[in-house]
Amino acid sequence: MSAPSVNPVPAPERIAHPALPAAATAIGRMLVLGGGYTGRRVALALEAAGVPVLLTHRQPSPGGPDPDWLHFDPDQGALPTQADLAGVSHVLVTIPPNAGGRDPVLESLAAQLHHLDPAWVGYLSTTGVYGDTGGAWVDETSPTRPLLERSQARLACEQAWRRSSLPVQLLRLPAIYGPGRNPMLNLRNGTARLIHKPGQVFSRVHVDDIVGAVLHSIALAPQDRPDTLILADTCPCPSSEILGLAAHLLGCRLPEVQRYADVAPTMGPMARSFWSENRRASSRRLRDDLGYRLLYPTYREGLSSCTGDFF
């Protein structure tokens, strides 16, 4: 993923994911490793369809409306037992590399996952593994040339999962947005910045299309699943475009435009790294080859769907 999942997301309304019935039938029990923004959204969608779900967190369960909460923190020795994982047939990994750049799930749970013999393991990665292409399109066949340290760690984790002999599907994501994480929130809380960098574009994906693509992949026959898949909408664009729509939807003014060259020295390392790469991510394989129909083909539909956060 291109950014860490830090914001809580409201419980989703029931969304008519076409593949949900077939995926729900295929899954005996789902293990979602990482209860952040995306992992929780996937878990809640499955639980609403009656699928037993285990959702891991680094903290013990405080109770509440989440699916079954499993304490998982390898750094503190909090590991699930084989009994905890009984019946798991499908696994989704949303946890990023650890401080050493290695995969914490493989380091601590590889033997247990092999014992489960899952039918599918999805690993959420990032389109950052393609590096900077100067705005050119990338797809699943493009060379991986990560420049950023965190993207190099992601590629190393991808390779480790490939070597694991588990039935892994790599799902590469650009920037994720949706309810609880979108430019309208930044406008409302005063943190939005209208930055102009000539030629710069960003690819995005709505969180509910990640859910939909995960379900779609699980519902496919194993021989029809590509080992690598990009999940992205069809409209990479400058950040100023989506911020302009956000301001229109809220009926508020945009902040003053700033030139990237002027503000870059004031940015933190993470923000500068975000702006240091320029590429367009293609989901043509997902849409054309596998037949997935995006719920939100562009940011226009996706951002408009988030106005319920405000009105």
Side-chain angles (χ1 to χ4, degrees), residues 116-201:
L116 291 171
D117 192 23
W120 177 85
V121 177
Y123 177 73
L124 298 192
S125 185
T126 171
T127 54
V129 297
Y130 297 109
D132 178 33
T133 66
W137 286 94
V138 296
D139 63 19
E140 293 85 355
T141 67
S142 301
T144 51
R145 297 168 178 164
L147 302 176
L148 301 175
E149 184 177 351
R150 66 176 182 273
S151 298
Q152 293 169 356
R154 279 289 189 182
L155 183 59
C157 290
E158 283 191 5
Q159 293 166 344
W161 278 103
R162 287 190 195 277
R163 294 191 299 269
S164 71
S165 75
L166 290 161
V168 175
Q169 187 175 34
L170 305 176
L171 306 174
R172 291 175 175 161
L173 313 178
I176 303 168
Y177 76 102
R181 182 193 287 184
N182 60 71
M184 291 186 289
L185 291 168
N186 299 335
L187 283 168
R188 275 288 173 90
N189 65 26
T191 62
R193 303 179 76 176
L194 183 57
I195 297 173
H196 176 63
K197 184 180 182 185
Q200 180 80 39
V201 297

Side-chain angles (χ1 to χ4, degrees), residues 257-311:
V257 66
Q258 300 171 293
R259 294 192 310 166
Y260 175 76
D262 294 336
V263 300
T266 70
M267 291 180 171
M270 180 64 75
R272 282 199 304 273
S273 70
F274 182 68
W275 283 86
S276 70
E277 296 186 340
N278 185 15
R279 63 183 164 269
R280 291 171 166 86
S282 172
S283 60
R284 188 178 298 275
R285 175 179 286 180
L286 171 69
R287 294 178 286 111
D288 293 353
D289 296 351
L290 301 185
Y292 178 74
R293 184 175 180 180
L294 289 166
L295 298 170
Y296 305 106
T298 77
Y299 70 86
R300 301 178 190 92
E301 299 90 356
L303 192 60
S304 297
S305 76
C306 298
T307 55
D309 288 352
F310 306 95
F311 306 110

Side-chain angles (χ1 to χ4, degrees), residues 45-70:
L46 285 167
E47 188 186 55
V51 177
V53 179
L54 279 173
L55 182 65
T56 74
H57 296 261
R58 295 179 69 89
Q59 301 298 324
S61 173
D66 275 330
D68 284 349
W69 187 309
L70 186 65

Side-chain angles (χ1 to χ4, degrees), residues 21-39:
T25 299
I27 299 169
R29 194 183 191 196
M30 184 79 174
L31 171 62
V32 179
L33 287 150
Y37 185 80
T38 302

